[in-house]
């Protein structure tokens, strides 16, 4: 079964609204590839201007976070309905930076995943191990636990539409990419975990991205792996290099 590749930019806390529009316009001619779903996950305040700037383009709009309640007294948070109304399709949840700096846990990721699915979004669920965990030989145990908690209460049909991003924490923003073999090994393990939970049909449908210092130079080899269905791109998503990654197969 062939899964369509998905290349998503995670802009993190970069680009003011006017800079964001400028970046969309710069990248516009570079990111056209009918074989790939292209997504920009942008800061909340950039969502509305980016949506407008993307009019008529092939790029899908994403957010970097969401809250798991519908509305109410949660100062500073953004609800699923707000994102929906602004035209967002994809939402990243559980990024390691949110876990590290903003107390995101596997349990809140699970609540967010259920809420996003209830509201018809395409979630991008992040997981990944620290260097200490890798060196201790518990990478796959850790990732299996993250996935099992995140997907608790999610149906097989819903799970098919979820994107999972495997991002080893030691590779994020460090310039130190996992080798294609290391990335493939964990992405295959994630697919096996989904198969254990839901069966092979679901596991074959789920798209699994690699993230962590993916760039124009290393994307081809990573994206050639059988269980790597795309990339979640930080630093390189803010540069014309992103176009090279999107067109990795040309
Ligand atoms: P990076 O970030 O590509 O800058 O390593 C990836 C991510 O955090 O999603």
């Amino acid at each position: 079964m062939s899964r369509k590749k998905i290349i998503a930019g995670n802009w993190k806390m970069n680009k003011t609204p006017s800079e964001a529009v400028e970046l969309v316009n710069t990248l516009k001619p570079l990111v056209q590839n009918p074989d790939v779903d292209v997504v920009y996950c942008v800061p909340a305040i950039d969502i509305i201007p980016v949506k407008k700037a993307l009019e008529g383009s092939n790029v899908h709009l994403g957010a970097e976070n969401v809250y798991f309640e519908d509305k109410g007294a949660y100062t500073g948070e953004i609800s699923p309905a707000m994102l929906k109304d602004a035209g967002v399709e994809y939402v990243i949840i559980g990024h390691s930076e949110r876990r590290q700096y903003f107390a995101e846990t596997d349990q809140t990721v699970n609540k967010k995943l259920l809420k996003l699915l209830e509201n018809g979004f395409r979630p991008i669920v992040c997981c990944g191990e620290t260097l200490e965990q890798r060196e201790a030989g518990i990478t796959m145990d850790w990732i299996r636990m993250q996935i099992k908690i995140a997907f608790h209460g999610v149906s097989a049909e819903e799970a098919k539409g979820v994107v999972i991003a495997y991002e080893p924490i030691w590779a994020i923003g460090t310039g130190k990419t996992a080798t294609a073999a290391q990335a493939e090994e964990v992405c295959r393990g994630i697919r096996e975990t989904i198969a254990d939970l839901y069966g092979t049909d679901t596991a074959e449908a789920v798209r699994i991205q690699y993230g962590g210092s993916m760039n124009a130079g290393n994307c081809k080899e990573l994206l050639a792996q059988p269980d790597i269905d795309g990339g979640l791109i930080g630093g390189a998503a803010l540069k014309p290099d992103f176009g090279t990654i999107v067109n990795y197969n040309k």
Side-chain angles (χ1 to χ4, degrees):
M1 160 168 193
S2 80
R3 293 173 292 269
K4 192 172 183 188
K5 289 274 197 280
I6 174 166
I7 306 288
N10 172 12
W11 290 13
K12 309 194 179 188
M13 196 176 74
N14 294 294
K15 303 296 171 189
T16 64
S18 49
E19 289 167 350
V21 169
E22 212 174 292
L23 180 59
V24 168
N25 291 333
T26 306
L27 294 180
K28 207 167 254 178
L30 309 175
V31 293
Q32 288 160 12
N33 182 350
D35 303 330
V36 171
D37 285 332
V38 184
V39 186
Y40 295 162
C41 298
V42 305
I45 199 165
D46 296 342
I47 286 171
I48 289 173
V50 166
K51 171 77 186 167
K52 194 162 177 349
L54 285 175
E55 263 166 30
S57 99
N58 58 311
V59 177
H60 300 266
L61 183 59
E64 298 176 14
N65 186 28
V66 67
Y67 198 52
F68 51 74
E69 296 290 352
D70 291 323
K71 61 173 162 179
Y74 303 102
T75 302
E77 290 297 315
I78 294 185
S79 73
M82 292 169 188
L83 295 181
K84 190 104 282 172
D85 190 65
V88 167
E89 274 180 81
Y90 289 84
V91 184
I92 298 174
I93 52 175
H95 191 280
S96 64
E97 288 151 15
R98 301 248 15 126
R99 295 176 191 255
Q100 185 181 351
Y101 305 124
F102 304 100
E104 190 91 73
T105 64
D106 292 326
Q107 285 71 23
T108 58
V109 172
N110 174 241
K111 287 185 184 179
K112 289 179 178 191
L113 179 54
L114 291 170
K115 190 50 88 174
L116 286 176
L117 291 168
E118 180 190 316
N119 285 278
F121 287 95
R122 296 172 181 275
I124 301 177
V125 179
C126 300
C127 60
E129 82 287 3
T130 62
L131 189 57
E132 291 71 22
Q133 289 167 330
R134 174 159 287 269
E135 285 172 353
I138 58 166
T139 296
M140 216 46 241
D141 300 297
W142 178 257
I143 306 268
R144 256 190 225 107
M145 183 196 68
Q146 287 189 313
I147 297 295
K148 285 185 177 170
I149 300 175
F151 280 79
H152 185 71
V154 172
S155 73
E157 223 25 61
E158 288 172 326
K160 284 183 185 171
V162 177
V163 176
I164 299 172
Y166 165 55
E167 300 204 300
I169 295 170
W170 47 271
I172 295 177
T174 57
K176 203 175 155 187
T177 322
T179 65
Q182 284 173 323
E184 166 61 17
E185 184 184 20
V186 178
C187 290
R188 193 182 55 241
I190 292 171
R191 202 175 303 288
E192 285 164 6
T193 306
I194 296 294
D196 291 345
L197 293 172
Y198 299 109
T200 48
D201 266 17
T202 304
E204 286 304 312
V206 161
R207 291 188 290 180
I208 304 174
Q209 297 173 312
Y210 167 78
S213 300
M214 194 190 273
N215 59 39
N218 60 28
C219 61
K220 236 188 171 87
E221 196 190 353
L222 287 160
L223 294 169
Q225 304 305 310
D227 289 291
I228 300 182
D229 307 314
L232 185 56
I233 323 294
L238 303 171
K239 301 189 278 193
D241 291 38
F242 191 67
T244 311
I245 302 174
V246 167
N247 288 286
Y248 75 97
N249 61 342
K250 302 281 171 69

